[in-house]
Amino acid sequence: MYLFEHKQKREKIIFKSYLIIFILSALLSLYSSFLDFGIGRQFIIRSIISLLFYIVVFYFAIHKKQWALFLVKINILIAIITLIAGVIGLIFRR
């Protein structure tokens, strides 16, 4: 019985950490689009569309829909790859 409770608690912590990283990824995406476009029409349109996407995926991920959880994991994977590429770019920049 104890192992089952421990496993359930561990899965809940992992689920919450995925959602927190997903929120940070959404904020990072908005920040990068702000750096790309500045404050203008393109930034406003792009940020509204991406915020709607993130809100919808986050809502369904909270309700543990499989497709939303898949998108959350893919988004986190892409964010990690982007951060690694950015660090490598900073290290080898000339």
Side-chain angles (χ1 to χ4, degrees):
M1 188 69 180
Y2 174 73
L3 292 175
F4 180 74
E5 290 176 14
H6 179 68
K7 183 179 179 183
Q8 189 177 18
K9 187 183 286 186
R10 186 174 146 257
E11 287 178 359
K12 191 174 184 180
I13 290 172
I14 291 172
F15 175 72
K16 286 184 179 181
S17 65
Y18 272 131
L19 292 181
I20 290 170
I21 294 171
F22 181 72
I23 291 170
L24 291 175
S25 171
L27 294 174
L28 183 66
S29 172
L30 286 175
Y31 179 71
S32 68
S33 65
F34 172 72
L35 289 179
D36 286 344
F37 299 114
I39 297 214
R41 199 168 103 205
Q42 282 184 332
F43 169 71
I44 293 171
I45 292 171
R46 182 174 174 159
S47 62
I48 288 173
I49 291 171
S50 67
L51 272 177
L52 286 174
F53 171 76
Y54 283 118
I55 288 171
V56 168
V57 171
F58 184 74
Y59 174 78
F60 285 110
I62 288 175
H63 294 293
K64 296 188 178 184
K65 300 292 182 184
Q66 290 299 319
W67 63 270
L69 293 174
F70 176 74
L71 289 177
V72 167
K73 290 178 182 180
I74 292 295
N75 193 341
I76 291 171
L77 180 68
I78 290 172
I80 290 171
I81 291 171
T82 304
L83 287 174
I84 291 172
V87 169
I88 290 173
L90 287 175
I91 291 172
F92 295 112
R93 187 169 64 180
R94 295 179 183 201

